[in-house]
Amino acid sequence: MPMGHTATAEAGSGGLTATEHRLANGLRVVLSEDHLTPVAAVCLWYDVGSRHEVKGRTGLAHLFEHLMFQGSGQVKGNGHFELVQGAGGSLNGTTSFERTNYFETMPTHQLELALWLEADRMGSLLAALDDESMENQRDVVKNERRQRYDNVPYGTAFERLTALAYPEGHPYHHTPIGSMADLDAATLEDARAFFRTYYAPNNAVLSVVGDIDPEQTLAWVEKYFGSVAGHDGKPAPRDGALPDTMGGELREVIEEDVPSRALMAAYRLPEDGTRASDAADLALTVLGGGESSRLYNRLVRRDRSAVAAGFGLLRLAGAPSLGWLDVKTSGDVRIPVIEAAVDEELARFAEEGPTAEEMERAQAQLEREWLDRLGTVAGRADELCRYAVLFGDPQLALTAVQRVLDITPEEVQEVAKSRLRPDNRAVLVYEPTESAEGTEGAEGTQSAADTADEDEEAAK
C-alpha cells in the first residue's frame, strides 16, 4: 500500500483537511473527504504546459490534451467520454503555460471507473496513438484556434500581449494554443516522445475529493496506477526569471474589424506564491475588479468614456505574473483620453494607497472567490493539485485566503508604486477599420486566465 500522512485542519483552512501519499513509482496522491453530497472529484495534474515546449514545436501540450481523449490501451475512440457521461459524470481537460490537467466528477459509486480510466491512458495511451487520431485532433485544435483566436474580435489580443511582455526565446513568449505552422509540423513521433517525457506518474499529482472512503480509494489508486512505470528523462523547464520591470513601454497598434477601440495592457508583476503577488492581486481588485472598482467608476460611470473596464491578475509561478488591463471605449472616444485617465488613476493609487474600505472590500472579494473554488469538490481537487505541482505543498491550498487577509495596505501601495507604471507595461491598441467605425457595442475579450487555459472542446 502507498505510504502517507494525515493533515489536521490548520488555522484559516475553514476546517478542511487533506492527506498526502506517494506511490513507489512517484505518483503523488492527495485525498480530501467531504460527505456533504454523494459525489467524488478526480483531478490529475501533469507538470507540463506550453513553457516546456521548444521553438518550432509549440502547441504540443495542448494538442496532447486532446489526444488523451482519443482512446488508450483498453478504451477505444471516444470511450472515455462515453463511459464517464454514461455513468452520470462530467469531465474535461485544460492546458496552461504551466500544467495540463484532466478531471472527472462522478457519483460516488462510480469513482473506481474514473480512476481506472485515468490510469489506463497514463499507462497505455501510446498503444492507441496512431496517424488517424493525430490528424483528427490536429484538425480539431486548428479549428479551435480559428474559432477562439483568429476569427473573433480581439481574439489574438492575449497572444500578442504575451509575445510583447515576454521577450523572444522566453518560455512564456508563446501561448498554449500554439501556431498553425507548428501544429502542421508536429509529427506522430514528436507526440510519442512528448508523452514518454511528460506523461509519467512521477510527473503528476492525483487528487480525489468528496464522498470517499480513503482506504478504499488508496487501494484503487495502487491497483490501477501502481504498475505504471515512471520516467526520469524530463528536462528541467527553462528559466523564466526576468527583471522586476520591463524598463520601458512596449506598444503595438492593431487595425482590425472590431466593434470599438480598445486599450489593453500587460504589467509585469511578482511571481505567484509570494506576498507581493497577493498584494498585487488586491491592488488590481481595488483598481479594476468589478463595478465597484476605481477604473470602472472613473471610465464607465463618471466619464462615460468606456463601456467596459477591468484589471485582473494572471498568476504565474515560473515567471513574472501579468496584470491584465482591458478597456473598451464608448462611442468615438479616442485611446489617448482613456490612457490619460488610466495613468491618472494608477498614479493616484500609488500615491495614496487603498482606503480601509477598499481593502476590506477587495479582501472580501478574493475570500469569496477562494470559498467558491474550495466549496465544490471539483474546485478543491484542482486547487490541491495546483499547490502540489507548482509549490510542492497541497496544504497551501487550504490556507491561501489567510495569506491574502494578512496583506497590509502598505504592501498593496508598494506594489502599485513599483510596478503599475507606464515604463513597466506592454500595450495593445485596437483601432477599428473604416468598415467597423460606428459599430454599436463592444464584444468582451476572454480574461487572461481563461485564455491561458485551453480546454478540451470535444467535451462540450
Side-chain angles (χ1 to χ4, degrees):
M1 285 295 296
M3 302 297 292
H5 73 270
T6 301
T8 56
E10 297 182 44
S13 70
L16 302 175
T17 62
T19 62
E20 302 172 54
H21 314 265
R22 189 182 293 270
L23 303 193
N25 59 12
L27 179 68
R28 295 182 67 184
V29 183
V30 184
L31 306 180
S32 180
E33 288 185 78
D34 183 342
H35 301 289
L36 189 62
T37 55
V39 296
V42 174
C43 185
L44 187 61
W45 271 45
Y46 289 94
D47 186 10
V48 57
S50 58
R51 71 167 174 160
H52 298 87
E53 297 164 350
V54 298
K55 187 174 182 179
R57 289 297 181 269
T58 66
L60 267 178
H62 179 221
L63 176 61
F64 230 98
E65 173 209 315
H66 286 252
L67 291 171
M68 287 281 276
F69 289 94
Q70 290 298 293
S72 50
Q74 300 181 72
V75 181
K76 303 306 178 186
N78 205 40
H80 197 112
F81 283 116
E82 294 169 356
L83 287 167
V84 170
Q85 292 172 341
S90 60
L91 71 164
N92 210 329
T94 70
T95 311
S96 76
F97 288 104
E98 300 181 321
R99 59 94 184 106
T100 307
N101 66 350
Y102 303 89
F103 44 92
E104 298 88 8
T105 300
M106 307 289 285
T108 298
H109 67 284
Q110 297 287 1
L111 171 59
E112 184 180 9
L113 172 63
L115 293 171
W116 173 74
L117 285 167
E118 289 293 358
D120 190 58
R121 60 182 175 184
M122 177 189 282
S124 67
L125 185 109
L126 290 186
L129 182 58
D130 56 19
D131 286 316
E132 181 181 356
S133 59
M134 180 79 173
E135 290 308 311
N136 175 277
Q137 291 309 300
R138 190 201 313 270
D139 288 342
V140 169
V141 172
K142 288 168 67 177
N143 193 49
E144 180 181 338
R145 181 185 169 89
R146 294 184 190 101
Q147 290 180 336
R148 299 179 61 183
Y149 282 73
D150 298 336
N151 297 330
V152 296
Y154 319 106
T156 59
F158 181 68
E159 187 175 45
R160 291 174 185 271
L161 267 182
T162 299
L164 279 177
Y166 300 110
E168 182 74 38
H170 190 274
Y172 292 68
H173 179 72
H174 69 278
T175 56
I177 192 68
S179 73
M180 286 292 198
D182 287 357
L183 288 169
D184 284 334
T187 67
L188 181 60
E189 187 47 46
D190 288 333
R192 287 173 171 160
F194 197 82
F195 181 87
R196 285 191 291 264
T197 301
Y198 294 107
Y199 282 79
N202 53 320
N203 195 46
V205 173
L206 171 71
S207 66
V208 186
V209 176
D211 185 27
I212 63 173
D213 177 331
E215 185 176 347
Q216 176 63 76
T217 302
L218 280 173
W220 284 332
V221 171
E222 178 67 36
K223 176 181 179 181
Y224 297 122
F225 288 91
S227 61
V228 181
H231 177 74
D232 297 324
K234 175 188 170 183
R238 290 173 293 147
D239 185 10
L242 290 169
D244 286 350
T245 59
M246 297 182 189
E249 184 183 87
L250 304 168
R251 181 176 291 256
E252 185 177 349
V253 178
I254 308 297
E255 291 188 5
E256 279 188 5
D257 187 8
V258 293
S260 71
R261 295 184 180 90
L263 172 68
M264 303 183 195
Y267 292 77
R268 186 177 293 174
L269 293 173
E271 292 84 353
D272 195 13
T274 62
R275 285 184 68 92
S277 180
D278 289 335
D281 206 352
L282 287 165
L284 300 191
T285 302
V286 171
L287 286 164
E291 296 184 5
S292 63
S293 66
R294 290 195 181 196
L295 289 175
Y296 191 93
N297 276 318
R298 168 70 184 272
L299 298 170
V300 180
R301 285 204 171 101
R302 196 193 89 178
D303 296 354
R304 298 186 179 180
S305 57
V307 296
F311 208 177
L313 182 64
L314 173 60
R315 288 179 176 264
L316 296 170
S321 301
L322 291 182
W324 178 269
L325 174 72
D326 188 350
V327 181
K328 304 298 192 310
T329 66
S330 176
D332 60 356
V333 174
R334 301 285 172 174
I335 292 298
V337 174
I338 296 291
E339 197 162 6
V342 168
D343 287 344
E344 184 180 319
E345 290 300 322
L346 296 190
R348 180 182 295 114
F349 187 73
E351 179 65 27
E352 301 171 356
T355 66
E357 182 183 357
E358 286 174 329
M359 276 293 291
E360 183 179 4
R361 186 167 60 239
Q363 287 175 319
Q365 188 170 329
L366 295 185
E367 182 177 22
R368 187 194 69 240
E369 293 172 3
W370 177 81
L371 290 169
D372 286 345
R373 290 193 298 273
L374 269 67
T376 67
V377 293
R380 194 182 320 157
D382 192 60
E383 289 293 296
L384 290 169
C385 278
R386 172 174 175 257
Y387 279 92
V389 169
L390 299 182
F391 306 108
D393 184 1
Q395 308 295 338
L396 292 172
L398 306 181
T399 56
V401 72
Q402 189 57 52
R403 293 188 291 278
V404 171
L405 298 178
D406 288 342
I407 299 297
T408 66
E410 291 74 23
E411 288 175 290
V412 174
Q413 182 180 6
E414 173 56 32
V415 77
K417 184 180 297 185
S418 61
R419 301 296 191 105
L420 300 181
R421 305 175 350 202
D423 64 348
N424 183 39
R425 68 185 178 198
V427 176
L428 203 61
V429 173
Y430 276 90
E431 290 286 349
T433 57
E434 285 190 18
S435 61
E437 282 284 358
T439 301
E440 293 296 324
E443 297 288 336
T445 55
Q446 293 173 286
S447 72
D450 288 342
T451 310
D453 270 1
E454 300 301 342
D455 63 301
E456 169 56 46
E457 288 300 300
K460 300 297 187 288

